[in-house]
Amino acid sequence: MSEETSTDLGDLIEDSEPEAETSDVAPEPEPDPGVAVTINGRVHSARPGQLVIDACADAGAFVPHFCYHPRMSPVGMCRQCLVEVDGPRGPMMVVSCMTPVAEGQVVNTATPSVKRAQEGVLELLLANHPLDCPVCDKGGECPLQDQAFSHGPGESRYLEEKRHYEKPIPISDLVYLDRERCILCDRCTRFADEVAGDKLIHFISRGNDTQVMTFPDEPFASYFSGNTVQICPVGALTAKPYRFKARPWDLEQVESTCTTCSVGCRTVIQSSRDELLRYQGVDSEPVNWGWLCDRGRFGFESANSDQRLAVPLIQTDAGLEATSWSAAMSTATELFTEALNRSGPSGIAILGGARGTNEDAFAWARLADRLGVTRRDPQLADGLAAQILNRPRATIAEAAHAKTVILLGPDLKEELPVLFLRIRDAAEKRRSRILEFSPMETGMTRYAWRSERYEPGFAATAVRSSLADPEIASQIAAGDVVVVVGRQNLAESDAVTLAALDAIIAAAPAAKVLPVLRRGNVMGALQMGLAPRSAESEASQILHAAADGHIDLLVLLGADPLADCPDAELARRALAGARRVISVDTFLTSSTAHADLVLPAAAYGEKAGTTTNLEGRITPVTAKVTVHGTARPDWMVAVDLAARLDQDLGFNDLAGITAEIAATVEGCEELEALSAGRATGTGRDGILVSVVVPEISRASTEVTERISYDYRLVVSRKLYDNATNTQMAPSLAPLAPGPCITVNPMDLTRIGAEEGTQVKVIGARSATVLTLAASTAVPRGLAWVPFNQPGGAISEVIDLDTTVTDVRIERL
Amino acid sequence: MSRLNDANLAVAKETIARYPRVKSALIPVLHLAQEQDGYVSTEAMAHIAELMGLTPAEVYGTASFYEMFKFEPVGRYCINVCTNISCQLVGGWELLEHAEEALGIKAGSTTPDQMFTLEDVECIAACTEAPALQVNYRYRNKVTPAQFDAMITALRAGELVDEFPPHGTLSRIRQGLPENWADTGRTAQAEVDAR
Ligand code: SF4
Ligand code: SF4
Ligand code: FES
Ligand code: FES
């Protein structure tokens, strides 16, 4: 499939050299005097404070190592990195991962005594290692195997029986542990502690009995567990979705970007026999630092699903039936022509576009422009008004280095996991203070400097009173503030959040904003021209118009309003009210089932192009495998349709679209170079683009006080939910926690029901039945329900036209 | 077997409050749990984690580092026979073998009546008194097989209770605290100072 597989795996994903901690924001690079060290006889200028092991790597002298990882603090566990440093009493052996460089230091990495020392350590590491490389997933890409060859004694002197443990035991739903192979490097446990903050695995016991283990019956259920598999320097940790699927030498790989959410983590996509088999994180300094979340890492399984749409489907009296592309495209053309003839472009609406690439979005936006269609929105009333893009924008790195990070958004751990890691790191390393505004506790609360609660509807009031607090006021007054803003609560109008944002900006006019709209390429879709043009162009108004029979043709570009619009009733009426519906999607969803025409779309890993992350950073995505069935990328559908409708889009192929974006979208001049030079150098960091979108004024909202026996709803997403790409990934689908309604334990008596019982949740419009749970994370008077869980329908009680949603909870 | 009971919970909270870094209280609080149940139960570790804001895995990781914390029920008397060099030279191994025969169990296991757990240990720093053993970490020096048998007989008869309190009774603060300590309103430290 691909010639671009030459990028070396080791280069990409392991230990790529990070820049100095603050380099990505350093306002002015300080004149760096450099520390002169002599490495293997040659003088080298090292960074002050740099570790000898890194300085050696920079100087081209590889030092074998296992426990050291450039993104985690050094611990000196494995002793493999011994080198010789000249000291006052002659050369001495030091652990290079724990020794900082010093002026005039003389380092030798390959003297006979270094070699002897390294061989000795390796022999000890191998003493209890089973050497079952032929049946080990890591074999072929294993640092232990490689370094045993390059730096080991070659022959084993051990005749004794090795230590035995039960062969791999699951430590979570996704990760298996083989304790015999573990060399106790502390990478996985350090990751869980330092990086993820999920200290669910730990060294247990002591000495010869030491092993990595979870607490009994408390699995390593971290959203980031896959990273431990990637960084384990041996085959002790393996991931269920990949176990025994391929050998490393069978894998082909290309560098790409994860588009599962809008963080845009850099990845390599690996495949064998034209099947996607594994994603690994790539260290991108401004974005993901090498980490991925498990949803992004394992979500590729959905692309391999046999439930993918393979051929176009057309609605008949007998339901949806397979048809050919040419028939499907003629039908599509007819539907467009018919709609245009009936009521002109205002009768056509395009929802979605965040699933695809920038090129997909651009092609559809251009088609919409040519046809005069203004009703378009890549969000489904589940995000924020697009104009937050017009605020001075912050990058992830700016947020992770700001004095103050104000969180006015969703639970980052659940929605934008790797952004959570970056902000958590900022708090843990004391670079930033986190000021969180949230109706309830989030995954970030324990790292926050201050976490302020508010009742849904009253965010702005809470912000104003908090900012009046002298301590907070002086923190903000110190400047360097980044506001991370996104949709906090799907049962609350986004206008509430926008008003709160205004209140923050009023107090901190110089604050920058990091918009955290979560869906894959929503930023790309907005920036490439699919942003709503006016109030009636926004999703909620499109749905209302459809429900009222004003939409002749509704185009769903990977959009599933029935699942994703917070207001299920409105979505249902809209789909029923739209005269015709065309859906371009990878799967048959609840919404596509209503379509008159369904066109199968190419999925991630099957198409090339670029994507834009929440910062506005454009990076390439790469095709690695052949598209499923006859699926096509969305842009191709737009181009074909345009030709049939006699519209000249100005391009006919992907290269043409890229060129047109580069020529017409501000800041995209480098796009062609970026697409062409994928997987190298600056391509990994991408280009930052900040496109202005139309401002749409928001009517101010009215919020009523909650009646005391009601509960005010907080509805937010969990990482694993009923999203198609989660449910179609067999490893991830079971991880969705399922629907429930959580209240404060003190409210249980008021409800008169126990935890675990079924209760009726009654909204103004309809009611639903959910399991009752209790947690102190939810303040009294509020009730939290995870959105879009399999088997749950909280969207039935949410009304998009009300500012907040109050419900009664009754025993069944 | 269980979480900390109310009285021990009070002691645990008080202990935790005494340290500037919460984590520092972990070992004393684990002792408390072991004193309560004779071993450190999974539930107790989970409870301690909750109290101290740690994950249960961290508590387990720290606790399991120490040989003297037990995670399975052990006998009322845990007997450690030293087989390290000094003791070995003057009959430590033989003493251990004798103990195994006398109790009818292998080192590392517990008698079916839950009275005795037998273990071999490395040097317990009583080399001048070899061969040495400990019963619930209280020393018996220069032990002969006959003395061992006599001690077992006495323990079975319910004697020697002052010399050898039940397994888990370790905490110096707890020893000698009045039964109704939790109700006295005095802090454990005040209790110690008063003595
Ligand atoms: S499981 Fe792997 S990463 Fe974890 S300590 Fe063992 S060798 Fe290191
Ligand atoms: S955080 Fe988002 S972009 Fe990164 S791996 Fe996870 S889903 Fe993908
Ligand atoms: S890499 Fe230096 S001790 Fe492990
Ligand atoms: S060897 Fe037995 S106490 Fe020292």
Side-chain angles (χ1 to χ4, degrees), chain A residues 739-755:
Chain A
C740 65
I741 184 162
T742 308
V743 297
N744 189 283
M746 299 215 272
D747 281 335
L748 284 177
T749 36
R750 193 148 71 93
I751 298 167
E754 308 243 304
E755 264 191 271

PDB file of all heavy atoms in Angstrom, chain A residues 739-755:
ATOM      1  N   PRO A 739     -26.481   4.065  31.381  1.00  0.00           N
ATOM      2  CA  PRO A 739     -27.212   5.226  31.868  1.00  0.00           C
ATOM      3  C   PRO A 739     -27.497   5.154  33.366  1.00  0.00           C
ATOM      4  O   PRO A 739     -27.730   4.082  33.911  1.00  0.00           O
ATOM      5  CB  PRO A 739     -28.525   5.162  31.083  1.00  0.00           C
ATOM      6  CG  PRO A 739     -28.703   3.712  30.796  1.00  0.00           C
ATOM      7  CD  PRO A 739     -27.340   3.096  30.705  1.00  0.00           C
ATOM      8  N   CYS A 740     -27.452   6.294  34.010  1.00  0.00           N
ATOM      9  CA  CYS A 740     -27.873   6.360  35.402  1.00  0.00           C
ATOM     10  C   CYS A 740     -28.080   7.840  35.723  1.00  0.00           C
ATOM     11  O   CYS A 740     -27.732   8.711  34.930  1.00  0.00           O
ATOM     12  CB  CYS A 740     -26.828   5.766  36.335  1.00  0.00           C
ATOM     13  SG  CYS A 740     -25.300   6.683  36.351  1.00  0.00           S
ATOM     14  N   ILE A 741     -28.686   8.098  36.852  1.00  0.00           N
ATOM     15  CA  ILE A 741     -28.840   9.480  37.294  1.00  0.00           C
ATOM     16  C   ILE A 741     -28.224   9.578  38.679  1.00  0.00           C
ATOM     17  O   ILE A 741     -28.527   8.782  39.562  1.00  0.00           O
ATOM     18  CB  ILE A 741     -30.317   9.945  37.259  1.00  0.00           C
ATOM     19  CG1 ILE A 741     -30.408  11.423  37.634  1.00  0.00           C
ATOM     20  CG2 ILE A 741     -31.212   9.094  38.162  1.00  0.00           C
ATOM     21  CD1 ILE A 741     -31.718  12.078  37.222  1.00  0.00           C
ATOM     22  N   THR A 742     -27.285  10.506  38.828  1.00  0.00           N
ATOM     23  CA  THR A 742     -26.538  10.593  40.076  1.00  0.00           C
ATOM     24  C   THR A 742     -26.918  11.859  40.832  1.00  0.00           C
ATOM     25  O   THR A 742     -26.908  12.952  40.267  1.00  0.00           O
ATOM     26  CB  THR A 742     -25.025  10.602  39.793  1.00  0.00           C
ATOM     27  OG1 THR A 742     -24.708   9.492  38.971  1.00  0.00           O
ATOM     28  CG2 THR A 742     -24.230  10.516  41.085  1.00  0.00           C
ATOM     29  N   VAL A 743     -27.248  11.677  42.102  1.00  0.00           N
ATOM     30  CA  VAL A 743     -27.570  12.829  42.951  1.00  0.00           C
ATOM     31  C   VAL A 743     -26.651  12.809  44.159  1.00  0.00           C
ATOM     32  O   VAL A 743     -25.923  11.844  44.386  1.00  0.00           O
ATOM     33  CB  VAL A 743     -29.043  12.791  43.436  1.00  0.00           C
ATOM     34  CG1 VAL A 743     -30.001  12.893  42.261  1.00  0.00           C
ATOM     35  CG2 VAL A 743     -29.313  11.534  44.255  1.00  0.00           C
ATOM     36  N   ASN A 744     -26.695  13.865  44.933  1.00  0.00           N
ATOM     37  CA  ASN A 744     -25.937  13.901  46.175  1.00  0.00           C
ATOM     38  C   ASN A 744     -26.532  12.881  47.152  1.00  0.00           C
ATOM     39  O   ASN A 744     -27.757  12.742  47.223  1.00  0.00           O
ATOM     40  CB  ASN A 744     -26.015  15.313  46.758  1.00  0.00           C
ATOM     41  CG  ASN A 744     -25.069  15.476  47.926  1.00  0.00           C
ATOM     42  OD1 ASN A 744     -25.354  15.005  49.028  1.00  0.00           O
ATOM     43  ND2 ASN A 744     -23.955  16.124  47.701  1.00  0.00           N
ATOM     44  N   PRO A 745     -25.662  12.175  47.912  1.00  0.00           N
ATOM     45  CA  PRO A 745     -26.195  11.155  48.841  1.00  0.00           C
ATOM     46  C   PRO A 745     -27.269  11.714  49.781  1.00  0.00           C
ATOM     47  O   PRO A 745     -28.198  11.000  50.167  1.00  0.00           O
ATOM     48  CB  PRO A 745     -24.963  10.717  49.623  1.00  0.00           C
ATOM     49  CG  PRO A 745     -23.798  11.060  48.766  1.00  0.00           C
ATOM     50  CD  PRO A 745     -24.199  12.228  47.918  1.00  0.00           C
ATOM     51  N   MET A 746     -27.136  13.008  50.124  1.00  0.00           N
ATOM     52  CA  MET A 746     -28.110  13.581  51.050  1.00  0.00           C
ATOM     53  C   MET A 746     -29.489  13.745  50.408  1.00  0.00           C
ATOM     54  O   MET A 746     -30.479  13.932  51.104  1.00  0.00           O
ATOM     55  CB  MET A 746     -27.611  14.921  51.557  1.00  0.00           C
ATOM     56  CG  MET A 746     -26.295  14.758  52.297  1.00  0.00           C
ATOM     57  SD  MET A 746     -26.137  15.865  53.670  1.00  0.00           S
ATOM     58  CE  MET A 746     -25.437  17.266  52.894  1.00  0.00           C
ATOM     59  N   ASP A 747     -29.531  13.714  49.097  1.00  0.00           N
ATOM     60  CA  ASP A 747     -30.818  13.848  48.425  1.00  0.00           C
ATOM     61  C   ASP A 747     -31.555  12.518  48.292  1.00  0.00           C
ATOM     62  O   ASP A 747     -32.721  12.490  47.891  1.00  0.00           O
ATOM     63  CB  ASP A 747     -30.628  14.477  47.035  1.00  0.00           C
ATOM     64  CG  ASP A 747     -30.451  15.991  47.115  1.00  0.00           C
ATOM     65  OD1 ASP A 747     -30.931  16.582  48.112  1.00  0.00           O
ATOM     66  OD2 ASP A 747     -29.832  16.579  46.216  1.00  0.00           O
ATOM     67  N   LEU A 748     -30.864  11.427  48.642  1.00  0.00           N
ATOM     68  CA  LEU A 748     -31.507  10.113  48.480  1.00  0.00           C
ATOM     69  C   LEU A 748     -32.765   9.997  49.318  1.00  0.00           C
ATOM     70  O   LEU A 748     -33.797   9.502  48.869  1.00  0.00           O
ATOM     71  CB  LEU A 748     -30.538   8.990  48.855  1.00  0.00           C
ATOM     72  CG  LEU A 748     -29.449   8.645  47.847  1.00  0.00           C
ATOM     73  CD1 LEU A 748     -28.538   7.565  48.415  1.00  0.00           C
ATOM     74  CD2 LEU A 748     -30.046   8.203  46.529  1.00  0.00           C
ATOM     75  N   THR A 749     -32.674  10.471  50.550  1.00  0.00           N
ATOM     76  CA  THR A 749     -33.839  10.339  51.427  1.00  0.00           C
ATOM     77  C   THR A 749     -35.008  11.155  50.883  1.00  0.00           C
ATOM     78  O   THR A 749     -36.152  10.738  50.951  1.00  0.00           O
ATOM     79  CB  THR A 749     -33.523  10.856  52.849  1.00  0.00           C
ATOM     80  OG1 THR A 749     -32.648  11.968  52.724  1.00  0.00           O
ATOM     81  CG2 THR A 749     -32.858   9.769  53.676  1.00  0.00           C
ATOM     82  N   ARG A 750     -34.672  12.315  50.324  1.00  0.00           N
ATOM     83  CA  ARG A 750     -35.720  13.163  49.774  1.00  0.00           C
ATOM     84  C   ARG A 750     -36.443  12.439  48.633  1.00  0.00           C
ATOM     85  O   ARG A 750     -37.657  12.546  48.484  1.00  0.00           O
ATOM     86  CB  ARG A 750     -35.072  14.456  49.264  1.00  0.00           C
ATOM     87  CG  ARG A 750     -36.008  15.568  48.944  1.00  0.00           C
ATOM     88  CD  ARG A 750     -35.334  16.905  49.218  1.00  0.00           C
ATOM     89  NE  ARG A 750     -34.280  17.223  48.253  1.00  0.00           N
ATOM     90  CZ  ARG A 750     -34.484  17.934  47.148  1.00  0.00           C
ATOM     91  NH1 ARG A 750     -35.690  18.363  46.852  1.00  0.00           N
ATOM     92  NH2 ARG A 750     -33.504  18.211  46.345  1.00  0.00           N
ATOM     93  N   ILE A 751     -35.660  11.696  47.858  1.00  0.00           N
ATOM     94  CA  ILE A 751     -36.270  10.943  46.762  1.00  0.00           C
ATOM     95  C   ILE A 751     -36.979   9.711  47.312  1.00  0.00           C
ATOM     96  O   ILE A 751     -37.968   9.241  46.770  1.00  0.00           O
ATOM     97  CB  ILE A 751     -35.192  10.530  45.729  1.00  0.00           C
ATOM     98  CG1 ILE A 751     -34.559  11.777  45.133  1.00  0.00           C
ATOM     99  CG2 ILE A 751     -35.786   9.650  44.641  1.00  0.00           C
ATOM    100  CD1 ILE A 751     -33.290  11.514  44.359  1.00  0.00           C
ATOM    101  N   GLY A 752     -36.457   9.225  48.438  1.00  0.00           N
ATOM    102  CA  GLY A 752     -37.071   8.052  49.045  1.00  0.00           C
ATOM    103  C   GLY A 752     -36.731   6.776  48.304  1.00  0.00           C
ATOM    104  O   GLY A 752     -37.495   5.811  48.329  1.00  0.00           O
ATOM    105  N   ALA A 753     -35.593   6.760  47.641  1.00  0.00           N
ATOM    106  CA  ALA A 753     -35.199   5.532  46.949  1.00  0.00           C
ATOM    107  C   ALA A 753     -33.722   5.281  47.221  1.00  0.00           C
ATOM    108  O   ALA A 753     -32.971   6.192  47.556  1.00  0.00           O
ATOM    109  CB  ALA A 753     -35.439   5.673  45.443  1.00  0.00           C
ATOM    110  N   GLU A 754     -33.357   4.038  47.094  1.00  0.00           N
ATOM    111  CA  GLU A 754     -31.983   3.643  47.362  1.00  0.00           C
ATOM    112  C   GLU A 754     -31.163   3.715  46.091  1.00  0.00           C
ATOM    113  O   GLU A 754     -31.702   3.639  44.982  1.00  0.00           O
ATOM    114  CB  GLU A 754     -31.949   2.189  47.831  1.00  0.00           C
ATOM    115  CG  GLU A 754     -32.870   1.880  48.965  1.00  0.00           C
ATOM    116  CD  GLU A 754     -32.081   1.456  50.175  1.00  0.00           C
ATOM    117  OE1 GLU A 754     -31.302   0.493  50.025  1.00  0.00           O
ATOM    118  OE2 GLU A 754     -32.237   2.090  51.235  1.00  0.00           O
ATOM    119  N   GLU A 755     -29.848   3.778  46.283  1.00  0.00           N
ATOM    120  CA  GLU A 755     -28.946   3.671  45.140  1.00  0.00           C
ATOM    121  C   GLU A 755     -29.196   2.352  44.435  1.00  0.00           C
ATOM    122  O   GLU A 755     -29.415   1.329  45.079  1.00  0.00           O
ATOM    123  CB  GLU A 755     -27.500   3.669  45.628  1.00  0.00           C
ATOM    124  CG  GLU A 755     -26.846   5.013  45.584  1.00  0.00           C
ATOM    125  CD  GLU A 755     -25.350   4.888  45.829  1.00  0.00           C
ATOM    126  OE1 GLU A 755     -24.954   4.930  47.005  1.00  0.00           O
ATOM    127  OE2 GLU A 755     -24.606   4.757  44.856  1.00  0.00           O
TER     128      GLU A 755
END
